[in-house]
Amino acid sequence: MEDPAAKVKALLLKSSSESQLSLYDHLVQVLMKVIDEETHNAVDVFEDLSHHVKQCSLEERQSVLKDFPQPTPAELLAEQQRLLFVCTDDADQEEDLVEMALPNVSELRFFLEQAGVGLGREEMQRICLALKQLVDSEALLCCRLWGKILGTRSSYIVAEAECREGLEEEEQSAESTLEQEERHDDTKEKHVNEKDPLPQTNFKPPPVVPKEAIGTGANKFVYYVCNEPGLPWAKLPLVSPAQITAARHIRKFFTGRLDTPIVSYPPFPGNETNYLRAQIARISAGTQASPQGFYQMVEEEGDEEDEVLRDSYEVNPDFEGIPTAEMSESLSTWVHHVQHILQQGRCTWVNLATKAGDDSNEEEGDEREEAENEPEPEVGPSLLTPVSQDAEMFNSPPWSTKLSSRLTPQHAVAVLHSNLWPGAVTYACGKKFDNIYMGWGLKYVGEGHSPALPPLPQKEFPSGPEISEAVDPSVEEEQALEEALEEQEAAQEATEESDEDQEEDD
């Protein structure tokens, strides 16, 4: 007869298929651990001791070869930013050209610190090196730090550059390729619809407002963005009036990804790339300011006849500066040096009625009626208009001024804050000034934002006896109607016979 004790011991010595460890050996190791460590209240912590012993035994069985750790996003970013600190072989180029194109970010950081805003010394230094990389790669004539727009996932560092020669031809070629692709798609749709034609509509969409040429109006400058210093720069496309008009009616946070679609009402014509470019144009037009007298209008032939169309200015060599105390107290010492964007979405008004009339061949009478109904041209404030003339919105002043220090006003900096675009700051000290924006890219809208309501539903067709459905008559009503019709026919035949008898007698 088999010994029960030996049977139980054999069961305890049976090793597990996963851990290759028997229960007997495991209990021996746990008891040895309790004896060696003289554990108090071993019953209460028996499960923890068992887990610790099992974990130690499994670690001994593991291989000495470990997996290579994957680099973290911070390490990848540091590896890309390391290239910013590498000196290139082209360091012996002419210093005058580099100094002219590359902004003095260290000086900007110093004045922004006096104004109470900024991004920190380390980040500003990395941004300076990133701007240098942009200037060298794109061969820019002039570049400056426009600001930083915050996003939900990542932010945008925005650089503003002047248009270089040949850029207009590149934009035109890109637009021509897009137009050709659209025409190709339209021809495909036409060939498909020839077999099964769709019903045509008589609706004529309103004429499209043409975008301003590169180097003028809202497209005067070219903008580049990147998420972090060291990452590749992306050039933003030109902005169209339709995008600016749609951006005024929506309110969306940026995500930090340029290819994100904009889901909104009214619908926005484009993705986050176009929305970012439209917001940059709006912020620049509303917040770019300079000390009065720093710029002067360029005098050209014909300016005396039409002063409204002047959109060019130059640095005034006779400007001596304005005391900072005076600039911190009076808004009339600050002026706008960027053109105002009209309700049409452009800086210069264009007559769409005339343009549409030129394309269509109409009679002279229709042309006279169009001339009588021609809209009045929209005119905005001219350049170098004082910011004190800006209208209040939501019972709050559009601007706020202050001194960087009241204790030492002789060395203080005059600071101008925009209340309509929170995050837009302008500083001025002597003959130096600059503008920067650091915010979410959203305009102040008062207590709360009310999205645009959808249009009213179309009215139903007016009801009447002509279109109303008649009620089916009953059997009795049909019989009565038949009898009435028979009586009517019999009476009509009787009258006809009597008329014929009278004619025969005559």
Side-chain angles (χ1 to χ4, degrees):
M1 186 174 180
E2 187 177 0
D3 188 7
K7 184 177 180 180
V8 173
K9 188 176 181 179
L11 179 63
L12 295 177
L13 289 174
K14 187 177 181 180
S15 60
S16 175
S17 59
E18 296 181 359
S19 61
Q20 302 297 325
L21 186 68
S22 65
L23 180 59
Y24 183 84
D25 296 336
H26 179 66
L27 291 175
V28 170
Q29 293 178 6
V30 173
L31 294 176
M32 291 296 296
K33 184 177 180 64
V34 172
I35 296 172
D36 294 339
E37 297 180 358
E38 297 181 357
T39 307
H40 298 285
N41 300 327
V43 178
D44 299 333
V45 296
F46 184 81
E47 292 82 2
D48 297 335
L49 294 174
S50 175
H51 178 73
H52 181 70
V53 170
K54 186 182 292 185
Q55 187 177 8
C56 293
S57 62
L58 292 176
E59 288 179 356
E60 294 176 357
R61 297 174 179 272
Q62 289 180 353
S63 175
V64 295
L65 298 177
K66 297 183 179 180
D67 296 334
F68 184 76
Q70 296 295 329
T72 61
E75 293 175 348
L76 295 175
L77 178 61
E79 182 65 24
Q80 291 180 329
Q81 290 182 347
R82 185 182 62 84
L83 302 177
L84 298 176
F85 298 89
V86 177
C87 296
T88 59
D89 298 335
D90 300 334
D92 299 333
Q93 293 180 350
E94 298 182 1
E95 296 182 357
D96 296 338
L97 296 177
V98 176
E99 291 179 358
M100 185 180 299
L102 188 64
N104 190 352
V105 182
S106 300
E107 183 184 54
L108 175 63
R109 174 187 56 79
F110 170 76
F111 284 112
L112 290 178
E113 285 181 356
Q114 303 300 316
V117 295
L119 298 174
R121 294 189 177 185
E122 293 184 2
E123 186 172 2
M124 290 293 283
Q125 184 62 31
R126 289 195 294 267
I127 289 175
C128 179
L129 298 177
L131 291 176
K132 180 178 181 298
Q133 188 182 50
L134 174 64
V135 170
D136 296 340
S137 60
E138 297 292 335
L140 302 177
L141 301 177
C142 185
C143 177
R144 79 176 188 93
L145 176 62
W146 184 88
K148 183 176 182 179
I149 293 182
L150 306 179
T152 57
R153 298 182 180 178
S154 59
S155 303
Y156 292 111
I157 299 173
V158 185
E160 182 183 84
E162 292 184 356
C163 302
R164 57 179 174 82
E165 296 181 359
L167 187 60
E168 184 175 0
E169 297 178 356
E170 295 178 3
E171 294 291 342
Q172 290 179 356
S173 62
E175 290 181 359
S176 61
T177 54
L178 290 176
E179 290 179 357
Q180 290 178 359
E181 291 178 358
E182 292 178 356
R183 292 176 182 174
H184 184 65
D185 295 339
D186 293 341
T187 53
K188 282 185 177 180
E189 292 180 358
K190 288 181 180 178
H191 289 305
V192 172
N193 294 334
E194 283 180 357
K195 299 180 180 179
D196 188 9
L198 298 175
Q200 302 296 327
T201 178
N202 296 327
F203 172 74
K204 293 183 180 180
V208 179
V209 182
K211 66 174 63 174
E212 293 173 303
I214 186 171
T216 60
N219 294 318
K220 185 176 182 179
F221 297 100
V222 182
Y223 294 92
Y224 297 84
V225 297
C226 68
N227 297 119
E228 290 288 344
L231 297 181
W233 290 90
K235 186 177 71 172
L236 299 181
L238 300 181
V239 65
S240 64
Q243 294 168 354
I244 294 178
T245 304
R248 287 171 171 168
H249 295 87
I250 64 176
R251 189 174 176 85
K252 298 282 290 185
F253 282 102
F254 293 95
T255 62
R257 298 181 180 179
L258 295 176
D259 56 349
T260 303
I262 300 297
V263 181
S264 64
Y265 183 84
F268 183 81
N271 53 11
E272 187 164 305
T273 305
N274 308 105
Y275 181 57
L276 176 62
R277 181 63 182 87
Q279 291 297 91
I280 290 175
R282 296 179 61 201
I283 294 172
S284 299
T287 63
Q288 300 285 334
S290 59
Q292 188 179 24
F294 186 88
Y295 293 113
Q296 63 181 2
M297 303 300 297
V298 178
E299 296 182 359
E300 298 177 356
E301 297 181 358
D303 284 349
E304 297 180 357
E305 298 178 359
D306 193 359
E307 298 183 355
V308 177
L309 299 179
R310 294 192 302 173
D311 57 352
S312 58
Y313 54 85
E314 61 183 0
V315 178
N316 184 10
D318 300 330
F319 178 71
E320 297 295 336
I322 303 175
T324 55
E326 182 181 353
M327 298 191 69
S328 63
E329 295 177 357
S330 176
L331 290 176
S332 60
T333 57
W334 303 86
V335 297
H336 291 280
H337 62 267
V338 177
Q339 283 185 285
H340 174 75
I341 300 179
L342 306 175
Q343 293 295 326
Q344 197 179 40
R346 293 168 50 100
C347 295
T348 55
W349 186 78
V350 61
N351 191 354
L352 300 177
T354 303
K355 187 176 181 180
D358 295 340
D359 297 338
S360 59
N361 296 324
E362 298 178 352
E363 299 180 357
E364 295 181 357
D366 297 338
E367 293 179 356
R368 291 176 182 176
E369 292 180 359
E370 289 182 359
E372 293 177 357
N373 299 328
E374 184 176 355
E376 296 182 1
E378 185 181 357
V379 179
S382 59
L383 278 176
L384 306 184
T385 301
V387 299
S388 58
Q389 298 182 8
D390 293 357
E392 292 188 0
M393 295 184 67
F394 311 107
N395 298 324
S396 63
W399 299 95
S400 298
T401 58
K402 71 171 186 178
L403 271 178
S404 61
S405 175
R406 295 288 181 182
L407 300 177
T408 57
Q410 61 273 19
H411 301 296
V413 178
V415 185
L416 180 68
H417 289 270
S418 174
N419 297 328
L420 298 183
W421 292 96
V425 180
T426 303
Y427 76 86
C429 182
K431 295 183 179 180
K432 295 181 179 180
F433 84 97
D434 206 343
N435 302 270
I436 195 168
Y437 178 83
M438 298 179 187
W440 292 94
L442 299 177
K443 191 175 182 179
Y444 176 68
V445 293
E447 296 180 355
H449 172 65
S450 298
L453 297 176
L456 296 175
Q458 294 184 354
K459 296 182 179 179
E460 297 290 342
F461 198 84
S463 60
E466 298 85 3
I467 62 172
S468 299
E469 185 177 359
V471 182
D472 292 340
S474 60
V475 179
E476 293 78 7
E477 292 177 350
E478 289 183 355
Q479 293 177 356
L481 181 60
E482 291 179 357
E483 294 176 358
L485 291 176
E486 291 177 357
E487 293 178 357
Q488 186 177 0
E489 291 178 358
Q492 187 176 0
E493 291 178 358
T495 53
E496 290 178 357
E497 291 178 358
S498 61
D499 293 338
E500 291 177 358
D501 296 338
Q502 289 179 0
E503 289 177 0
E504 290 177 358
D505 295 339
D506 295 338

